Amino acid sequence: MRAMQYPDYGAEPKLVDLPVPEPGPTEVRVRVSHTSVNPVDWKQASGKIRLVMPQPRPCVPGYDLSGIIDAVGERVKSFTAGDRVHIRIPMSGAGANAEYAVVPADHAVRLPDTMDMVTAAALPLAGMTALQGLRDVLQLDLDGDTRRVLVIGASGGVGHLAVQIAAAAGAEVVGVCSGRNADLVRSLGCRDVIDYTQPGCWAGVAPFDLVYDCVAGDPSPYLEYIKRGGAYASCMPGPATFLHAANVFSGKRVRPVLLHGNAPDLATLDKLFAEGKLRAVIDRHFGLAELPAAWAYSQSGRARGKIIIDVATG
Ligand SMILES: NC(=O)c1ccc[n+]([C@@H]2O[C@H](COP(=O)([O-])OP(=O)(O)OC[C@H]3O[C@@H](n4cnc5c(N)ncnc54)[C@H](OP(=O)(O)O)[C@@H]3O)[C@@H](O)[C@H]2O)c1
């Protein structure tokens, strides 16, 4: 099978020919239709985060995939060949950027009938990070919550899904992005947009109950815009996140978001999709062999929504 693989940290992924993998007893094999790029893919490949997120090498990168099951392990009862599924492969695995991938059956989710394979590849990692950051860390009530929510990085992979999830809950959502993405994030549910490229853009901004930072991990610039009793969460946590998290006297909760991929949360995203409350914005498509170009585009920091790899056709 065709697969993109890098031999070691720091090396570019190259197209290689690998044997089609056999599923273990609790795994399914998926004929991959599409994958999507997440910044963690190229961060891990660089080796710069190997101490916290090591990867076996050689490595077929990629955690998100959609496709059709073509073989099931002997103990798998929940799926059969022909099922349309998507998955965020657990961190110990990767392997999405190949024509076939074996994945743990208990992380795979059958697609809603109306979900296309591109959306299915776009949603898992970024969508669950958006969902868990809002629901579990910031404690937004998905069943109804009218509080003021700020999403920083509202046009990115995680942010554009966070905007929609918060808006679907009933929140008053404000997005931070550059002016070129203002119309997009409004169309996703932002009542207002702060264009961070404009001087004085924070003048007169009313305080927020919840702030979800999908760009950086330092709450300092935003603390004055968070109400007492409010909260800040970052999916890019750094030393500043943990320093502020330790300050129990500020009256403002600061917390990191660390994704725990799981099938029930993926199914929650699928339900929102089926109800018409969540869609994936797709920026660009690349072929499988173009993975390095797709990573370079992701590294630019300018992606609007998700970057898709067309594995079956590319
Ligand atoms: N902790 C976890 O478990 C976890 C999970 C998923 C992702 N992450 C991390 O979260 C980060 C975001 O991931 P992603 O997939 O959303 O990235 P992404 O899609 O590459 O984000 C790109 C977006 O960021 C926006 N942006 C860049 N600088 C900005 C700024 N100063 N203010 C506001 N928006 C800005 C850009 O909008 P403009 O072009 O308009 O500036 C662009 O639309 C990554 O670092 C990723 O590694 C962590």
Side-chain angles (χ1 to χ4, degrees), residues 38-40 43 125 129 152-159 176-178 180-181 196 214-215 235-237 257-259 298 301-305:
N38 292 288
V40 69
K43 289 180 187 177
L125 193 154
T129 306
I152 303 165
S155 53
V158 177
V176 180
C177 62
S178 65
R180 74 189 181 100
N181 289 322
Y196 71 91
C214 305
V215 173
C235 64
M236 262 302 287
V257 178
L258 299 171
L259 169 65
S298 173
R302 295 283 79 80
R304 288 158 55 100

Side-chain angles (χ1 to χ4, degrees), residues 37-43 49 53 88 91 125-130 132 151-160 175-182 184-185 194-197 212-216 222 234-237 256-260 283 297-307:
V37 174
N38 292 288
V40 69
D41 301 342
W42 46 262
K43 289 180 187 177
I49 57 171
M53 285 184 169
R88 182 275 197 172
M91 278 322 257
L125 193 154
M128 283 192 278
T129 306
Q132 292 173 12
V151 177
I152 303 165
S155 53
V158 177
H160 89 286
V176 180
C177 62
S178 65
R180 74 189 181 100
N181 289 322
L184 170 71
V185 304
I194 298 170
D195 175 357
Y196 71 91
T197 65
Y212 193 2
D213 193 341
C214 305
V215 173
Y222 308 109
S234 168
C235 64
M236 262 302 287
V257 178
L258 299 171
L259 169 65
H260 298 289
D283 185 334
Y297 182 55
S298 173
Q299 285 161 355
S300 75
R302 295 283 79 80
R304 288 158 55 100
K306 294 288 297 178
I307 302 164

Side-chain angles (χ1 to χ4, degrees), residues 280-293:
V281 171
I282 307 304
D283 185 334
R284 294 186 189 183
H285 287 249
F286 292 83
L288 182 60
E290 296 172 323
L291 187 63

Side-chain angles (χ1 to χ4, degrees), residues 149-154 163 173-177 185 190-195 208:
V149 175
L150 181 71
V151 177
I152 303 165
V163 166
V173 187
V174 176
V176 180
C177 62
V185 304
C190 283
R191 287 216 205 147
D192 226 331
V193 176
I194 298 170
D195 175 357
F208 296 92

Side-chain angles (χ1 to χ4, degrees), residues 195-235:
D195 175 357
Y196 71 91
T197 65
Q198 296 302 311
C201 60
W202 288 90
V205 171
F208 296 92
D209 300 285
L210 308 174
V211 173
Y212 193 2
D213 193 341
C214 305
V215 173
D218 185 356
S220 312
Y222 308 109
L223 288 176
E224 63 180 294
Y225 301 101
I226 301 176
K227 294 178 190 173
R228 200 163 174 81
Y232 166 101
S234 168
C235 64

Side-chain angles (χ1 to χ4, degrees), residues 1-2 19-24 26-35 63-73 76 79-89 95-111 117 120-121 311-312:
M1 66 171 186
R2 296 160 72 233
V20 174
E22 289 302 323
T26 59
E27 292 176 325
V28 294
R29 185 173 67 206
V30 182
R31 185 173 171 84
V32 179
S33 175
H34 295 83
T35 73
Y63 291 103
D64 283 341
L65 69 81
S66 64
I68 296 175
I69 291 181
D70 87 324
V72 300
V76 175
F79 293 103
T80 54
D83 284 345
R84 302 165 74 243
V85 293
H86 60 163
I87 185 170
R88 182 275 197 172
I89 301 172
N97 285 295
E99 285 179 310
Y100 293 88
V102 289
V103 302
D106 61 353
H107 278 61
V109 173
R110 208 174 272 110
L111 302 186
M117 288 287 182
V311 177

